[in-house]
Amino acid sequence: MSVQSKLDIKNKNIDTILVLDFGSQYTQLIARRIRESDVYSEILPWDVDIKKIEDINPKGIILSGGPESVTDIHTPRAPQIVFDLQVPILGICYGMQTLAEQMGGQVTTSEKKEFGFSILNIEDNSKLFTGSSSEAIDVWMSHGDKVETLPNDFKLIASTESAPIAAMEHSSKPIYALQFHPEVTHTKGGKLILDNFIFEICSCKPDWKLDDLISSRIKEIKDITNGEKVLLGLSGGVDSSVTAALLSKAIGENLVCVFVDNGLLRKNEAEEVVQTFKNEMDLNLFKVDAQKIFLRHLKGIEDPEQKRKIIGRTFIDVFDAEAAKLENIDFLAQGTIYPDVIESSESESKEARVIKSHHNVGGLPEEMKLKLVEPLRDLFKDEVRRLGSQLDLPEIILNRHPFPGPGLGVRILGEVNEKKIKILQEADFIFIEELRKANLYDSVSQAFAVFLPIKSVGVVGDERRYSEVIALRAVETVDFMTANWAYLPHEFLDEVSRRIVNEIEDVSRVVYDISGKPPATIEWE
């Protein structure tokens, strides 16, 4: 059985805001917003063992939103420990509704549901709204229920047209609740509201600083590994790259990196990884060419979830085989980050669901018997990028658009084969190259090409061509929870389309995806 060896990122003396998760798509965003104000935050499921909550000893607790209705039977409730700790509480959306129900109020299903912008009218003075420049605030609503009757000893502090009780607070205890989402950028002054809660109400100190993290983390890695060798599966993505840079600083030549080229990477990416980490950073790197193995396992597979599982399982098999060739390895390092932990089945909730099947969370194969080191385990992606910048990693790595774990395997709709990979690599390369030439790459959050499972008639010169269709996707987003399709210039799209069709003879048509998230997802599979 593998032995977990996790590094404690948080000093026990640092003030902590605990976010109890009721299933909202914005829960991670709440925690990130708090950390952006230099206060440490941690997420736990609402039904976690109370000992875990006691051990954290939070300065305040936020109850997140969620998809359930408190009007139904057997829906989630805030555990009694939340009230027994006598620390400030902030309920958001579902969190407000369960607070209302549990404290003697009444919640009903709204005749008019609110999803989107609403005008919040401040009805009474509250520490939450201290410093607000207006008594009418644009806020982001997302609810089907509403608080109909205030609980005992609560007062109304804000309302909207459809939710007369849109914010409330206890008259003598530091308990507050909001029907809207202050954590999303759509809510004007949302950061001010959260800052008022964590600083004015919870009296937190802004002592969560990434600046001091590298030196303390290096010391912890040295103490844990104690001169033994550490194996890292390096992908070239942000998370594994920052993990490699940090481990290299800590243990030098005792870090052994294995790069598995699954053949599903972007054009030239395998060569760039070797150039950056082996030649420029002088890491102890071994490259494994495994495209044929992955393609053999993917043959005939069209279902996207099945493709993800096959790619993940094949990676473990290949990596395990390479690890067996190495001697005197006692530790395995992984680039696990906090969202991986939250979204994986390792969550401590009794009702946890696996959101993505390709995350590297949950331990190691039984036969490996290695101790696990995860130095980024409690960091969000933006914190990882900041850490990488302090470690002097190249900007081209740190600012690279997100790339799915299964690679092009989930950007090729339908069966994956070598010909489709080559076509998609070329189309994607042209798209990204033109974005950089036009100084548009950094203005969009993610951009990529997709190989569609259809063919289309085209005319090239005097010949008709019945060939493949490529879709282009570019989005703008702050948090990747929601996203708008990018309004790229028509002239730019025209140039990209012409290049793809002219330079890739197997493509006859290029389309541009103008779907937002929601209702679409950012990736196609």
Side-chain angles (χ1 to χ4, degrees), residues 230-465:
V230 178
L231 178 64
L232 171 67
L234 182 64
S235 69
V238 174
D239 303 335
S240 71
S241 298
V242 175
T243 301
L246 186 58
L247 287 166
S248 179
K249 286 270 189 184
I251 60 175
E253 292 184 356
N254 280 336
L255 172 64
V256 180
C257 297
V258 172
F259 169 50
V260 177
D261 181 4
N262 60 12
L264 301 170
L265 303 175
R266 288 164 286 206
K267 182 180 178 180
N268 300 331
E269 188 165 12
E271 293 79 5
E272 290 170 359
V273 169
V274 172
Q275 174 63 29
T276 299
F277 292 96
K278 187 177 182 67
N279 300 340
E280 296 178 14
M281 294 179 61
D282 198 29
L283 293 190
N284 190 11
L285 175 67
F286 297 89
K287 178 174 177 285
V288 183
D289 295 312
Q291 180 181 27
K292 290 182 179 179
I293 299 173
F294 280 84
L295 287 180
R296 184 172 69 249
H297 291 179
L298 287 168
K299 185 175 178 59
I301 305 300
E302 297 186 357
D303 178 73
E305 187 62 16
Q306 196 174 355
K307 286 193 291 185
R308 286 177 181 273
K309 289 179 178 178
I310 288 172
I311 292 168
R313 186 172 64 245
T314 303
F315 174 84
I316 290 175
D317 291 343
V318 172
F319 186 81
D320 192 17
E322 291 302 313
K325 300 176 185 177
L326 302 171
E327 297 180 350
N328 302 318
I329 301 289
D330 290 280
F331 292 87
L332 178 83
Q334 290 187 157
T336 308
I337 64 174
Y338 199 29
D340 297 339
V341 176
I342 296 166
E343 294 180 354
S344 76
S345 58
E346 193 182 63
S347 165
E348 293 154 270
S349 170
K350 302 178 186 69
E351 298 184 0
R353 295 184 299 271
V354 178
I355 309 241
K356 294 181 181 176
S357 58
H358 64 276
H359 281 146
N360 54 359
V361 182
L364 310 170
E366 294 283 331
E367 64 273 15
M368 286 190 74
K369 300 185 183 301
L370 296 178
K371 289 167 281 188
L372 189 60
V373 179
E374 297 173 304
L376 310 180
R377 184 182 177 83
D378 290 327
L379 292 179
F380 286 106
K381 179 74 79 172
D382 52 328
E383 294 173 315
V384 172
R385 292 186 197 276
R386 286 164 54 197
L387 201 67
S389 179
Q390 294 173 19
L391 289 165
D392 297 322
L393 277 172
E395 288 296 310
I396 195 168
I397 290 177
L398 294 179
N399 293 330
R400 179 180 291 169
H401 290 173
F403 190 63
L408 300 181
V410 291
R411 289 181 178 172
I412 296 172
L413 275 60
E415 183 183 3
V416 177
N417 60 43
E418 190 171 358
K419 180 180 179 181
K420 292 178 182 179
I421 293 172
K422 179 66 174 175
I423 292 171
L424 184 57
Q425 284 178 332
E426 293 296 331
D428 189 77
F429 180 83
I430 290 170
F431 188 25
I432 300 303
E433 183 178 59
E434 288 297 326
L435 281 168
R436 293 190 185 281
K437 282 169 56 177
N439 293 320
L440 292 170
Y441 184 83
D442 292 328
S443 66
V444 298
S445 307
Q446 190 170 354
F448 54 92
V450 180
F451 187 101
L452 300 186
I454 56 174
K455 289 191 175 184
S456 169
V457 174
V459 179
V460 179
D462 294 327
E463 295 182 2
R464 288 171 66 83
R465 179 193 292 175

Side-chain angles (χ1 to χ4, degrees), residues 455-495:
K455 289 191 175 184
S456 169
V457 174
V459 179
V460 179
D462 294 327
E463 295 182 2
R464 288 171 66 83
R465 179 193 292 175
Y466 187 59
S467 300
E468 314 295 348
V469 179
I470 292 291
L472 303 179
R473 177 80 158 140
V475 299
E476 296 172 350
T477 178
V478 173
D479 48 42
F480 289 89
M481 304 291 183
T482 61
N484 297 319
W485 61 275
Y487 287 71
L488 297 177
H490 291 178
E491 296 81 3
F492 168 82
L493 291 172
D494 179 57
E495 177 64 22

Side-chain angles (χ1 to χ4, degrees), residues 101-113:
E101 280 281 333
Q102 291 179 245
M103 302 188 77
Q106 182 182 11
V107 176
T108 61
T109 299
S110 301
E111 291 182 6
K112 182 178 180 182
K113 296 174 171 41

Side-chain angles (χ1 to χ4, degrees), residues 77-264:
R77 293 290 185 266
Q80 184 59 38
I81 185 68
V82 168
F83 306 100
D84 293 343
L85 288 174
Q86 297 184 354
V87 297
I89 301 168
L90 174 62
I92 296 175
C93 198
Y94 184 91
M96 172 176 177
Q97 294 159 11
T98 194
L99 274 178
E101 280 281 333
Q102 291 179 245
M103 302 188 77
Q106 182 182 11
V107 176
T108 61
T109 299
S110 301
E111 291 182 6
K112 182 178 180 182
K113 296 174 171 41
E114 282 190 297
F115 299 100
F117 281 110
S118 189
I119 302 297
L120 183 82
N121 296 303
I122 298 176
E123 305 286 352
D124 201 346
N125 292 330
S126 172
K127 285 186 178 181
L128 281 181
F129 302 129
T130 299
S132 176
S133 58
S134 174
E135 293 185 357
I137 306 171
D138 287 345
V139 298
W140 186 259
M141 289 283 197
S142 179
H143 68 99
D145 294 343
K146 65 180 180 181
V147 177
E148 186 74 29
T149 305
L150 283 168
N152 295 333
D153 300 319
F154 273 77
K155 66 176 181 177
L156 172 70
I157 57 174
S159 64
T160 71
E161 182 179 352
S162 297
I165 303 176
M168 64 184 189
E169 70 174 58
H170 197 279
S171 57
S172 61
K173 299 177 181 179
I175 302 178
Y176 302 81
L178 307 170
Q179 186 59 73
F180 60 91
H181 291 274
E183 68 274 20
V184 302
T185 55
H186 304 307
T187 293
K188 304 301 181 186
K191 184 180 186 301
L192 174 65
I193 293 170
L194 288 175
D195 280 353
N196 283 337
F197 178 71
I198 61 181
F199 294 122
E200 301 300 323
I201 297 169
C202 298
S203 301
C204 289
K205 297 184 292 294
D207 48 14
W208 165 241
K209 308 285 187 183
L210 279 183
D211 299 347
D212 303 324
L213 183 61
I214 293 176
S215 57
S216 62
R217 188 46 49 84
I218 286 174
K219 181 180 184 305
E220 290 170 3
I221 292 170
K222 287 180 177 178
D223 290 344
I224 288 173
T225 58
N226 194 29
E228 303 292 341
K229 287 186 178 181
V230 178
L231 178 64
L232 171 67
L234 182 64
S235 69
V238 174
D239 303 335
S240 71
S241 298
V242 175
T243 301
L246 186 58
L247 287 166
S248 179
K249 286 270 189 184
I251 60 175
E253 292 184 356
N254 280 336
L255 172 64
V256 180
C257 297
V258 172
F259 169 50
V260 177
D261 181 4
N262 60 12
L264 301 170

